[in-house]
Amino acid sequence: SLKEENAGATITLTVASDQNAVLANIRRYVSAYNDMEATLRALGRYDAASAQGGPMLGDWLLNGVRNAMVRGATDSVASAGAVYSSLAAIGITTGSDGKLQIDSERLEAALQSSPAAVAALFGADDGIAARLDDKIEELLASDGSIAARSDNLADAQEQIDAASRRLDERMATVEQRYLAQFTALDSLMAQMNSTSNYLTQQLASL
């Protein structure tokens, strides 16, 4: 930091890579990705013990979003070169739970060996950040998959509500018909009881 003038003095300015800051940013990215993966899995989970499923269990949209995020993060990046063209190449691999895990030694070795390649892996035009950003914008666009799915669900809910109203109306009509039939039957039964009582009295007097 140049804080004041010092005429005639020689100032040495060293420009160097801050590897600790780079490592911290990569770890933040991995943490954010793992949070996303946990959320997506929770939405599509199935708990056999309680026989309960997540709110989007089996939903094609959830699976599509997850697959797109996985490809965006793990596919190779051509501009990063042949050696460090993927997360796996710098020590960031996918575990059995779908979350990313870091091999710190391999990551630090990659940064020491070729910091430019690691930078390109994340920050190039075809890098991980750009790919994920493009995919997220596509998914969240007004004409994207999520909006289309939301519209479809809203339409389906309207159809269900309309069908429910029609069923209620039919049930009300059936209820009125049965009520009229039961009322008529009750009246007939009363008449028959009255006739039966009359006949019983007449027979008793004979």
Side-chain angles (χ1 to χ4, degrees):
S1 299
L2 301 179
K3 298 181 178 179
E4 60 184 16
E5 295 181 2
N6 193 353
T10 300
I11 303 298
T12 301
L13 179 64
T14 302
V15 179
S17 174
D18 186 349
Q19 183 166 310
N20 290 333
V22 174
L23 287 170
N25 285 332
I26 292 175
R27 290 192 176 95
R28 277 196 293 270
Y29 160 74
V30 169
S31 177
Y33 181 92
N34 288 343
D35 287 344
M36 175 205 70
E37 175 65 21
T39 299
L40 295 178
R41 280 185 175 265
L43 290 172
R45 76 186 185 283
Y46 178 75
D47 185 354
S50 63
Q52 295 293 321
M56 296 185 72
L57 175 64
D59 194 300
W60 61 265
L61 176 61
L62 179 65
N63 294 330
V65 169
R66 185 172 182 274
N67 290 336
M69 294 297 100
V70 170
R71 289 195 306 270
T74 59
D75 284 356
S76 61
V77 176
S79 62
V83 179
Y84 299 118
S85 61
S86 68
L87 288 181
I90 64 171
I92 301 175
T93 55
T94 304
S96 58
D97 59 356
K99 294 184 178 182
L100 298 179
Q101 49 196 18
I102 302 175
D103 182 331
S104 297
E105 290 185 3
R106 289 183 61 191
L107 176 57
E108 291 173 10
L111 281 170
Q112 289 286 351
S113 174
S114 183
V118 176
L121 178 63
F122 287 97
D125 290 341
D126 62 338
I128 293 171
R131 285 194 312 218
L132 291 177
D133 185 60
D134 289 344
K135 191 59 184 178
I136 290 170
E137 283 193 7
E138 177 185 331
L139 289 168
L140 297 179
S142 59
D143 58 348
S145 304
I146 293 177
R149 181 65 166 151
S150 179
D151 291 342
N152 290 340
L153 289 173
D155 291 342
Q157 185 62 54
E158 289 182 2
Q159 293 174 8
I160 291 172
D161 291 343
S164 178
R165 288 192 297 271
R166 289 194 297 269
L167 178 60
D168 288 342
E169 291 170 358
R170 288 198 299 272
M171 292 302 295
T173 300
V174 170
E175 180 183 12
Q176 291 299 320
R177 184 171 69 249
Y178 284 163
L179 181 61
Q181 291 173 348
F182 288 140
T183 300
L185 179 60
D186 186 61
S187 176
L188 178 60
M189 290 296 295
Q191 292 176 9
M192 291 179 67
N193 285 333
S194 177
T195 302
S196 176
N197 292 335
Y198 173 76
L199 292 174
T200 299
Q201 293 173 0
Q202 292 300 315
L203 290 171
S205 64
L206 291 178

